[in-house]
Amino acid sequence: MQFGMTEEQSMIVETTRAFVEKELYPHEAEIERTGHLDMNVIRDVQKKAMEAGLYAANMPEEVGGAGLDTLTWLMYEKELGRANYALHWTGVARPSNILLAGTEEQKEKYLFPCMKGEKWDCLAMTEPDAGSDLRGMKATARQDGDDWILNGTKHFISHADIADFAICFMATGVEDTPRGPKKKITAFFVDKGTPGFEVRNGYGNVSHRGYTNAVLEFDDCRLPSSAILGEVDKGFEVANTWLGATRLQVAATCLGRAERALQHSIEYAAERKQFGQQIGKFQGISFKLADMALELKAANLLTWEAGWKFDQGTVTESDMSMAKLKATEMLAFVADEAIQIHGGMGLMDELPLERIWRDARVERIWEGTSEIQRHIISREMLRAVGG
């Protein structure tokens, strides 16, 4: 494994960082103040991202993407992670890789419009009674001739308010397994405006202002069989195949935010004076900086290793869980220490630190809680010895 960046990777990192600082940072304060995304701003950012070759960079070249390998893509995500999440997700959108699992007709209807910035997608799995336990979902789809009838509720569905369609995972039956009955899951494309499908406002939240969540209601929502993504009862297989790197994406964006917080802290510690000297000369501050840098580097290495192994085809669930767990918990630590170094100023909205601190909290919950990641890691260790 090489620890240095290639020339191409360096160029992508530099280009993305410059774009984030020039095109995204100036809009952060307004979004934080209002919690609202100005779609005129988003369309302007979107246009500039396309011109810079940064839009939909996660997708393969054959569908119009940048064709980045996983490791390079994570470096790109890290730079985007420096900015307000809602701003970089919508303005420099990355259509979900799961769209690649569609048929040619589905790609024409859903994937390619997303690649062109004409549509946005969203994923609907979580329910009020089924968060970490997705097999416990109660929303159902039953077959009725050539159609399927969907009923139930999804919630915490990110950016569903601006999405043009949702990829919804519904229970479509039960199968017997050695560990007892388990629900079969099927994925469906559901267009906004379909009768029986309603998108309602979700909950106010402390993290990622402007990045909204919604409640999806299905009331005898009728869909044709052509709306199925993948195969009937094979929804988890589709998700596991095409959504595997999302934990690494979370890890990478956490690295970017932590690096930004650390840099602010280093500069402040070098400039701020108390008791006749720079506060960075006091061990109470300098040791904090050292610990922040240590934790950040450890998270970086775990994330880059997992990305590299993903490209080699040798990555394990544990590798990805370790990266996600370490990076999200590292960000919480670094953000908190950054505010402590800055004192009262760290909590003022003149700096991005209070935002980074607030945003850090959700990272240990979505895409699998810290407890779920620890379960995955320990389960893999125990299975290796027959446990």
Side-chain angles (χ1 to χ4, degrees):
M1 184 177 179
Q2 299 295 321
F3 287 93
M5 288 191 291
T6 65
E7 185 176 341
E8 179 187 17
Q9 288 170 339
S10 296
M11 181 187 70
I12 290 170
V13 166
E14 291 169 7
T15 300
T16 309
R17 183 176 300 183
F19 184 88
V20 166
E21 292 176 351
K22 181 181 178 182
E23 305 296 345
L24 302 188
Y25 281 3
H27 301 295
E28 286 183 322
E30 182 65 13
I31 293 174
E32 289 299 316
R33 185 182 67 81
T34 65
H36 174 70
L37 282 176
D38 184 330
M39 294 312 293
N40 291 323
V41 169
I42 292 304
R43 290 301 183 187
D44 180 59
V45 170
Q46 189 180 56
K47 178 175 179 292
K48 292 174 179 176
M50 288 180 178
E51 291 171 350
L54 298 177
Y55 197 84
N58 61 308
M59 300 300 260
E61 288 181 309
E62 56 264 30
V63 297
L68 302 180
D69 59 71
T70 305
L71 181 56
T72 307
W73 168 63
L74 292 176
M75 293 178 180
Y76 155 86
E77 289 289 345
K78 175 184 175 181
E79 297 309 316
L80 291 178
R82 295 172 179 274
N84 167 280
Y85 195 84
L87 188 59
H88 79 68
W89 187 89
T90 50
V92 195
R94 282 87 72 212
S96 175
N97 288 38
I98 202 170
L99 295 172
L100 295 168
T103 63
E104 291 306 312
E105 291 77 12
Q106 289 171 339
K107 289 177 182 177
E108 288 293 335
K109 184 176 181 180
Y110 299 109
L111 171 61
F112 296 119
C114 287
M115 296 296 298
K116 297 173 185 175
E118 298 167 355
K119 288 184 177 181
W120 281 297
D121 64 284
C122 70
L123 292 173
M125 291 188 183
T126 306
E127 298 180 8
D129 295 319
S132 297
D133 179 21
L134 289 174
R135 290 278 189 182
M137 67 174 59
K138 297 177 180 177
T140 62
R142 62 176 177 84
Q143 195 163 12
D144 182 31
D146 291 333
D147 293 342
W148 290 79
I149 310 298
L150 278 58
N151 282 285
T153 301
K154 301 288 182 180
H155 79 160
F156 293 158
I157 309 306
S158 299
H159 55 80
D161 57 328
I162 66 170
D164 298 277
F165 64 93
I167 300 169
C168 302
F169 291 77
M170 315 292 284
T172 48
V174 177
E175 62 181 334
D176 291 322
T177 74
R179 297 187 178 184
K182 286 190 176 181
K183 290 182 179 177
K184 300 176 182 178
I185 307 297
T186 304
F188 295 85
F189 285 106
V190 187
D191 294 316
K192 190 171 285 185
T194 300
F197 175 46
E198 181 185 2
V199 179
R200 296 193 289 104
N201 290 336
Y203 315 97
N205 62 88
V206 69
S207 298
H208 298 315
R209 288 178 182 165
Y211 190 75
T212 56
N213 68 86
V215 176
L216 309 188
E217 297 282 4
F218 301 88
D219 183 10
D220 286 339
C221 177
R222 181 178 292 270
L223 299 175
S225 295
S226 59
I228 293 172
L229 175 60
E231 299 179 31
V232 175
D233 299 336
K234 302 294 184 182
F236 271 125
E237 286 84 343
V238 173
N240 290 337
T241 300
W242 295 102
L243 297 178
T246 53
R247 276 172 283 169
L248 297 184
Q249 181 186 23
V250 172
T253 56
C254 287
L255 298 178
R257 260 171 279 148
E259 197 169 272
R260 186 177 178 185
L262 177 57
Q263 189 59 42
H264 273 282
S265 300
I266 294 169
E267 292 171 0
Y268 188 78
E271 296 170 1
R272 172 73 166 164
K273 290 185 177 181
Q274 290 284 276
F275 305 105
Q277 65 178 343
Q278 297 160 326
I279 64 172
K281 292 184 177 180
F282 294 107
Q283 288 184 346
I285 299 298
S286 63
F287 284 10
K288 287 184 185 297
L289 294 174
D291 287 341
M292 292 160 75
L294 177 64
E295 292 299 309
L296 176 57
K297 186 165 187 176
N300 261 295
L301 290 172
L302 277 170
T303 305
W304 297 159
E305 182 199 36
W308 180 81
K309 291 175 74 172
F310 199 100
D311 289 327
Q312 309 306 309
T314 60
V315 74
T316 65
E317 291 294 313
S318 180
D319 291 327
M320 293 188 286
S321 288
M322 284 185 178
K324 199 266 184 184
L325 177 63
K326 183 62 178 178
T328 55
E329 298 202 341
M330 174 278 299
L331 176 59
F333 168 75
V334 168
D336 194 70
E337 291 290 69
I339 286 178
Q340 197 69 18
I341 289 170
H342 283 76
M345 277 305 300
L347 291 170
M348 303 299 110
D349 58 13
E350 280 78 7
L351 295 173
L353 299 178
E354 60 88 22
R355 171 179 65 80
I356 292 172
W357 181 62
R358 283 186 288 104
D359 291 350
R361 191 59 189 88
V362 74
E363 307 299 348
R364 288 177 282 162
I365 297 174
W366 65 4
E367 296 300 336
T369 63
S370 293
E371 291 73 23
I372 288 294
Q373 306 311 323
R374 286 184 167 91
H375 169 69
I376 292 170
I377 294 164
S378 60
R379 180 184 63 189
E380 194 167 297
M381 294 163 62
L382 291 167
R383 282 180 176 175
V385 294

